[in-house]
Amino acid sequence: IYSSIKLIKEDHLKLICAFFSIGNIGFMISAIGMQSVESMQSLFFFLLNFSLVNFFIFLFASYIKKNYQSSSIDKIFKVVRDNNLCGIPLKLIIIFIAGLPLTFLFFGYWYMALASMDYSLKIIMIIALIFSNYAQLNIAMKIIDSVLEKDQPKNIQENISANKKIDYLQAVSFWILIITIYANALLSEAMNNMALRFASFLLANTI
């Protein structure tokens, strides 16, 4: 809940990534503590989100910090304006940040909610999930607002600096990550089956 509250007011992507990670780790620890099939499935999807979506946000934050002297969400429209090669993957990741259906966060929240039904602290867990989901949606809306911000006219110096900002290695890494993320999401049935096997394996080796 603490990380979700901090996220609502945060505008810098590096700090957003840090609070995302704290929230993910909190749910993962809770999942391990519950020791049920649903909680282990939830753990699987939070691990995926942590290793792919959070990593993407960190890479993108590093990119705009390096090229625009700030990792603020307000700078995102400049990336979209100056470099579509890096801007398009960011647009595609928004639904995963928001935790919409068929995303890793959606399944993570879903299985965590199911797992919490058998515990006395289920109300606290449901509140934490709602807060977390709201914070994620809030960040996604901020990014959308920045992406849709009207282009401001660029002077000659901005045009020169924009040409220096194209980093093909980072652009390729963005595309590799976004293709991996979407490939996993599109194979949602297979991923859920894998999550079940993952849960069964962990429970068989820990109980």
Side-chain angles (χ1 to χ4, degrees), residues 39-165:
S39 70
M40 292 299 112
Q41 287 176 286
S42 174
L43 174 64
F44 176 81
F45 284 106
F46 281 124
L47 282 170
L48 276 178
N49 189 74
F50 182 80
S51 59
L52 293 175
V53 179
N54 285 16
F55 185 52
F56 180 97
I57 296 170
F58 176 78
L59 281 182
F60 197 87
S62 300
Y63 172 78
I64 64 172
K65 174 70 174 177
K66 174 184 175 183
N67 292 291
Y68 298 94
Q69 291 72 54
S70 172
S71 64
S72 173
I73 288 177
D74 294 337
K75 302 291 184 182
I76 287 176
F77 84 94
K78 292 186 177 182
V79 179
V80 176
R81 180 191 66 187
D82 297 339
N83 186 359
N84 278 328
L85 200 59
C86 292
I88 292 173
L90 176 72
K91 295 176 184 177
L92 294 173
I93 201 71
I94 290 174
I95 65 169
F96 289 87
I97 294 173
L100 296 181
L102 299 182
T103 63
F104 306 137
L105 270 181
F106 172 81
F107 287 120
Y109 290 153
W110 174 257
Y111 286 119
M112 181 61 75
L114 290 177
S116 66
M117 290 298 107
D118 296 328
Y119 292 86
S120 57
L121 297 176
K122 61 185 176 185
I123 295 177
I124 295 175
M125 181 58 70
I126 295 299
I127 291 173
L129 290 169
I130 291 171
F131 262 93
S132 181
N133 198 24
Y134 173 76
Q136 300 272 160
L137 284 168
N138 183 63
I139 294 300
M141 291 306 299
K142 286 182 181 180
I143 294 173
I144 290 171
D145 286 342
S146 183
V147 167
L148 297 179
E149 185 173 331
K150 289 185 177 179
D151 290 350
Q152 299 175 7
K154 294 189 292 183
N155 55 36
I156 295 174
Q157 186 61 39
E158 282 182 311
N159 277 316
I160 293 172
S161 62
N163 290 331
K164 294 179 180 178
K165 288 170 188 143

Side-chain angles (χ1 to χ4, degrees), residues 185-203:
L186 291 172
L187 297 171
S188 58
E189 184 177 354
M191 296 306 295
N192 276 280
N193 289 334
M194 192 178 295
L196 184 58
R197 293 193 190 97
F198 175 82
S200 300
F201 173 79
L202 285 184
L203 291 172

